């Protein structure tokens, strides 16, 4: 198994309150228990290490609506390995990592308010706008030497004010205080620029696919 993928799985389940991952020969099965996201299968190999036979084997055993497949390889490649019962996100995700080190206190713009708190092994950060609305947020789940950043977002009307960087630096500092030395995340194309500006590097591309046979039958 790819160690960065393993670290991401371990932290992600803590961040999302998912069931403990069930180890499989090819990766992990994670139960979520949500409509539209019942279970997810995560392939443990990444890049060229993930082959067609493995993806076809995992996907071929899926028969239920709302089951997701995460494969750390380019969607243009993985799409050719899945049948039309799968919806595939056309935009790739990015598995990323960074060495963690103390970064100092983050200063928020005048009028904004930064709050940080921890519950159940997850540290959350929010930035409130001057009018009290949510401007930015994010969370991180340290699991030993690694910590997984998750659900970072900035409201459209508050972008380009450095709030995303403030959230990320605050989260990373919190993880360092808890003993983490490496950060891991799964980013979107929209977030990749922010993360790279903060020193994160792309380890592998990510394909997200959801089984939706009923939708396929309607088209």
């Amino acid at each position: 198994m790819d160690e960065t993928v393993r670290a991401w799985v371990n932290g992600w389940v803590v961040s999302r309150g998912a069931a403990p991952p069930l180890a499989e020969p090819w990766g992990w099965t994670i139960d979520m228990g949500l409509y539209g996201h019942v279970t997810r299968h995560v392939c443990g190999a990444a890049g060229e290490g993930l082959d067609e036979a493995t993806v076809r084997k995992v996907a071929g055993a899926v028969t239920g609506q709302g089951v997701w497949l995460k494969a750390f390889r380019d969607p243009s490649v993985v799409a050719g390995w899945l049948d039309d019962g799968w919806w595939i996100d056309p935009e790739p995700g990015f598995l990323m990592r960074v060495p963690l080190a103390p970064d100092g206190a983050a200063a928020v713009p005048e009028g904004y308010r930064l709050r940080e708190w921890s519950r159940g092994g997850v540290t959350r950060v929010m930035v409130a706008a001057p009018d009290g609305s949510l401007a930015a947020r994010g969370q991180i789940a340290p699991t030993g030497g690694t910590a997984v950043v998750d659900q970072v977002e900035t409201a459209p009307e508050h972008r380009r004010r450095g709030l995303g960087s403030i959230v990320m630096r605050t989260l990373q500092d919190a993880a360092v205080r808890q003993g983490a030395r490496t950060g891991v995340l799964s980013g979107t194309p929209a977030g990749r620029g922010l993360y790279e500006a903060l020193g994160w590097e792309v380890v592998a591309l990510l394909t997200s696919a959801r089984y939706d046979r009923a939708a396929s039958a309607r088209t």
Side-chain angles (χ1 to χ4, degrees), residues 17 34 65-66 73 109 124 131 149 155 169 178 187 192 197 207 212:
L34 302 172
Q65 300 287 109
R73 194 157 180 183
R124 292 177 170 83
D131 65 359
V149 175
R169 289 193 167 100
Q178 296 176 62
R192 179 180 178 178
T207 296
D212 194 3

Side-chain angles (χ1 to χ4, degrees), residues 36-78:
H37 197 161
V38 183
T39 299
R40 65 165 48 188
H41 301 303
V42 182
C43 295
E48 296 293 330
L50 179 60
D51 59 32
E52 179 177 359
T54 298
V55 173
R56 286 189 178 277
K57 177 181 179 179
V58 177
V62 175
T63 57
Q65 300 287 109
V67 175
W68 285 77
L69 173 65
K70 299 288 182 173
F72 288 94
R73 194 157 180 183
D74 194 311
S76 65
V77 174
V78 178

Side-chain angles (χ1 to χ4, degrees), residues 83-135:
D83 64 31
D84 59 7
W86 290 87
W87 172 84
I88 302 170
D89 190 336
E91 290 193 326
F94 303 95
L95 181 66
M96 306 182 74
R97 68 185 172 199
V98 71
L100 295 177
D103 199 20
V108 299
E110 184 177 356
Y112 287 83
R113 178 172 60 89
L114 177 68
R115 181 76 186 277
E116 173 191 334
W117 69 97
S118 298
R119 288 288 186 276
V122 181
T123 296
R124 292 177 170 83
V125 168
M126 62 163 274
V127 179
D131 65 359
S133 62
L134 183 64

Side-chain angles (χ1 to χ4, degrees), residues 165-188:
S165 294
I166 290 169
V167 168
M168 287 294 294
R169 289 193 167 100
T170 304
L171 291 172
Q172 291 175 201
D173 278 357
V176 170
R177 293 196 303 270
Q178 296 176 62
R181 292 295 176 263
T182 302
V184 179
L185 63 78
S186 171
T188 64

